Amino acid sequence: MPHRRTCVLALTGLAAAAVVAAAPPVPAAAAPAPEKSPVAIGTGGAVATVDPDATRVGLEVLADGGNAADAAVAAAAALGVTEPYSAGVGGGGFFVYYDAASGTVSTIDGRETAPLAMGAGAFLDDSGAPLPFQEAVQSGLSVGTPGTPRTWERALERFGTRSLAQVLQGGIRLAEDGFVVDPTFAQQTADNADKFARFAPSAELFLPGGAPPAVGSVFRNPDLAQTYRLLAEQGVAPIYTGRLGEEIVQTVQHPPMAAGAADVRPGLLREVDLARYDAPLREPTRIEYRGLDVYGMAPPSSGGSTVGEALNVLEQFPLGSLPDVPALHTYLEASALAFADRNAYVGDPAYTQVPLAELLSQEYAAERACALDPAAAAAKPVPAGSPDGEYGPCPAAGGPTTGAGTEGPNTTHLTVADAAGNVASYTLTIEQTGGSGITVPGRGFLLNNELTDFTFAPADPNRPEPNLPAPGKRPRSSMAPTIVLDDGRPVLALGSPGGATIITTVLQTLVNRIDRGLDLPAAIAAPRASQRNGPATEAEPAFIAAYGPQLQALGHQFTPVTEIGAATGIEFLPGNLMLAAAEPVRRGGGSAGVVHTVPGAGEDTVPAPDLGDG
Ligand code: GLU
């Protein structure tokens, strides 16, 4: 087990860009990429995103006196330009906010909804079999009512100090002037080229001249600049009750196919779905872990409940004093138990009774911990527990069992803090990288495929399935924007993309930081493994190299995956310093920044004060 240590990091060093196969070549006169660093320490506010332009836009809003909510929306709008395959006004997300004045954590549920015309069998074919996943993704059918514009509006009206018009200016400039294509954007375009080529406006926008844009070229999106200008002038009404909404509906119902491309399934979205869409404020989830308060996103996301339940189970074990292998074994097993319950019990709370308080109770965690053998991995999938309020020591295993879902390595997370101590932890997405693949003609943004997060057919027809489609329902999410308080004040905020691996990435990073004593950059950079109640644990090669044989001896199996997650986070350090951290390597490396760098602060070392009483 690595003990409390500091990590040597050059603050000015650029993150190593991921080497990507078959990415388009660098043109002769490539524009210089903007500078970025995965770590920054300073004062006056901090921003961590996956992208240097988005981080810069957020920092500009903070430097201009905007607060964390203002800067988070501004950075999200910038990500809609530079990360259009992961985020944008055609998608949804979850916004978790700590308001320093009141000392409270609130959340906004900006999840997409199913159209009112969608029934439980929407993703079954005529024979009753689930549609092939990619057929469902690349269709109008998978497009849910976008929630991101309403989230931005709500975040600003509830927490912000700036207008939508003000915070969209950075995104407008970026879309108008363009950004320098980096290897990650080029590779994501190449990976989605077949999908984009099926839809005329997507091919025109993202495959200029019939090919992905070259690394180092400047990518402009004047249509998106125009869309943002419209929202700046008129607010989000054009999307929910206006002409732009009509165009979205038309696009979903009649996907704009490229010449010669086979038709895809049309969608069910109508104007009424847009008009009735709301992004409600919801109570956050809250659990205590090692004396800290961990706040997360409640259903319809399974992020807060699953991270919270796993932490409650882990608290039954002395992780901080265990060597690496037993500590990681415990982490993997607790994750499997929490995923069993997630799959069995979590869905949109307006449609299914989610036993949230029980799932997050200490008593239930104590009962669940009985199923965790410190010396051997359980056979997976493990059964779900019985969060029924009646707990005793080590009940016989029972309850429904379901497998892991089909979610991809997509999405984006940003973390922002301001000088007053407000914090935004915001995960947003259009679901798959590239979403449905359908761009709204002339508007510069992709539509989501979020409805493929519904379970297409029950795994066990004899058990209730909480995540089947229904009219107006929100599909279950894994997004887990998280804020940690100590004695009512924020100490840490973080989140990640990555479908269901979001949950394990957030969980593992918290364990690394709180229990294993790693500083935040090291906690983020550490090799990852994701156990989601499947027979094998997905793990990065470095994880398998370091711990694989010893964990295999305990009964774990591993499936190697190149990368898991792309986290960002902010930690509040003693002396009013803020530490912003992003990935050094994953997804091409992220970008952390602060409003004022403090000379000498953290230039050679990153502090890792003890967090909590673990
Ligand atoms: N749709 C996913 C979710 O809500 C996020 C997209 C992804 O990261 O795969 O959990």
Side-chain angles (χ1 to χ4, degrees):
M1 169 66 75
H3 280 289
R4 311 278 163 193
R5 67 178 189 83
T6 53
C7 171
V8 178
L9 283 162
L11 292 184
T12 52
L14 296 185
V19 178
V20 285
V26 181
E35 290 233 340
K36 63 179 176 180
S37 168
V39 182
I41 299 183
T43 60
V47 180
T49 80
V50 298
D51 177 79
D53 289 308
T55 295
R56 173 182 54 75
V57 165
L59 287 171
E60 284 169 2
V61 170
L62 291 177
D64 190 43
N67 73 6
D70 303 323
V73 175
L79 288 169
V81 180
T82 58
E83 278 236 302
Y85 311 145
S86 298
V89 291
F94 296 99
F95 190 95
V96 178
Y97 196 73
Y98 172 79
D99 174 59
S102 62
T104 55
V105 178
S106 310
T107 77
I108 300 172
D109 170 2
R111 187 63 160 172
E112 297 89 335
T113 52
L116 288 175
M118 179 165 274
F123 292 101
L124 305 178
D125 67 17
D126 292 343
S127 73
L131 292 180
F133 191 63
Q134 276 307 320
E135 186 180 327
V137 169
Q138 298 177 33
S139 76
L141 193 59
S142 66
V143 181
T145 313
T148 291
R150 193 66 92 201
T151 306
W152 294 355
E153 176 189 63
R154 179 126 307 157
L156 294 175
E157 90 194 358
R158 184 77 176 74
F159 309 114
T161 65
R162 298 287 191 266
S163 66
L164 186 60
Q166 287 171 308
V167 301
L168 286 177
Q169 293 309 311
I172 292 171
R173 274 194 301 277
L174 202 50
E176 194 70 52
D177 299 345
F179 64 93
V180 179
V181 170
D182 66 10
T184 305
F185 182 84
Q187 185 66 52
Q188 288 182 345
T189 313
D191 291 345
N192 281 282
D194 289 349
K195 177 159 91 174
F196 294 153
R198 298 182 77 178
F199 303 101
S202 303
E204 193 185 323
L205 178 59
F206 298 118
L207 303 171
V215 174
S217 63
V218 174
F219 186 90
R220 296 185 176 83
N221 191 340
D223 287 347
L224 183 57
Q226 207 47 36
T227 297
Y228 280 176
R229 274 197 201 95
L230 179 68
L231 301 186
E233 282 161 18
Q234 299 182 25
V236 301
I239 290 187
Y240 291 105
T241 52
R243 174 81 197 132
L244 180 46
E246 288 169 18
E247 291 173 31
I248 291 172
V249 167
Q250 177 69 15
T251 306
V252 171
Q253 292 185 2
H254 306 282
M257 307 311 299
D263 282 345
V264 295
R265 285 177 189 264
L268 302 170
L269 195 74
R270 292 176 296 163
E271 275 93 352
V272 63
D273 299 304
L274 291 163
R276 69 191 289 278
Y277 182 81
D278 190 23
L281 289 159
R282 289 191 190 275
E283 278 297 306
T285 59
R286 185 189 77 82
I287 59 116
E288 274 179 49
Y289 186 66
R290 317 268 188 219
L292 302 167
D293 291 301
V294 181
Y295 288 86
M297 195 63 225
S301 184
S302 59
S305 67
T306 313
V307 170
E309 182 186 340
L311 286 174
N312 280 341
V313 171
L314 287 170
E315 201 174 25
Q316 316 284 319
F317 301 87
L319 286 196
S321 59
L322 291 178
D324 275 350
V325 169
L328 291 168
H329 162 74
T330 312
Y331 151 67
L332 296 175
E333 294 296 280
S335 179
L337 290 167
F339 262 91
D341 290 340
R342 169 217 190 243
N343 295 340
Y345 299 117
V346 182
D348 183 339
Y351 292 73
T352 192
Q353 280 277 347
V354 183
L356 185 62
E358 297 301 332
L359 288 171
L360 291 175
S361 78
Q362 298 285 346
E363 295 77 14
Y364 182 58
E367 183 176 281
R368 286 302 266 158
C370 287
L372 199 161
D373 183 341
K380 313 286 187 316
V382 297
S386 300
D388 53 10
E390 290 180 14
Y391 307 120
C394 299
T401 300
T402 52
T406 43
E407 287 151 295
N410 328 301
T411 309
T412 196
H413 179 82
L414 61 100
T415 317
V416 180
D418 64 30
N422 302 300
V423 185
S425 186
Y426 182 24
T427 313
L428 63 162
T429 187
I430 59 171
E431 214 311 271
Q432 295 277 295
T433 305
S436 63
I438 307 173
T439 299
V440 182
R443 298 299 194 167
F445 65 90
L446 284 156
L447 291 169
N448 70 83
N449 68 293
E450 214 70 54
L451 304 185
T452 60
D453 273 357
F454 282 122
T455 304
F456 289 9
D460 177 351
N462 299 316
R463 302 271 185 200
E465 166 51 62
N467 190 38
L468 288 177
K473 188 174 177 179
R474 292 162 139 86
R476 178 176 61 212
S477 172
S478 299
M479 288 186 260
T482 301
I483 295 179
V484 182
L485 306 188
D486 187 3
D487 211 11
R489 298 170 64 91
V491 289
L492 186 62
L494 75 163
S496 176
T501 70
I502 291 171
I503 290 167
T504 57
T505 294
V506 168
L507 179 63
Q508 190 176 357
T509 307
L510 287 170
V511 166
N512 284 346
R513 178 67 193 90
I514 297 169
D515 295 302
R516 303 180 74 212
L518 303 183
D519 60 58
L520 183 61
I524 287 174
R528 293 191 181 126
S530 178
Q531 169 47 251
R532 307 194 301 281
N533 202 23
T537 296
E538 289 179 359
E540 294 176 341
F543 185 95
I544 297 173
Y547 313 109
Q550 289 159 284
L551 287 167
Q552 278 159 347
L554 296 177
H556 293 276
Q557 301 168 41
F558 293 101
T559 303
V561 291
T562 315
E563 264 181 27
I564 296 174
T568 69
I570 291 174
E571 181 169 340
F572 290 79
L573 297 172
N576 281 329
L577 290 176
M578 294 173 198
L579 160 63
E583 298 285 353
V585 175
R586 294 184 186 95
R587 229 196 236 192
S591 170
V594 290
V595 174
H596 305 296
T597 49
V598 176
E603 278 181 9
D604 297 320
T605 60
V606 175
D610 286 354
L611 289 186
D613 54 20

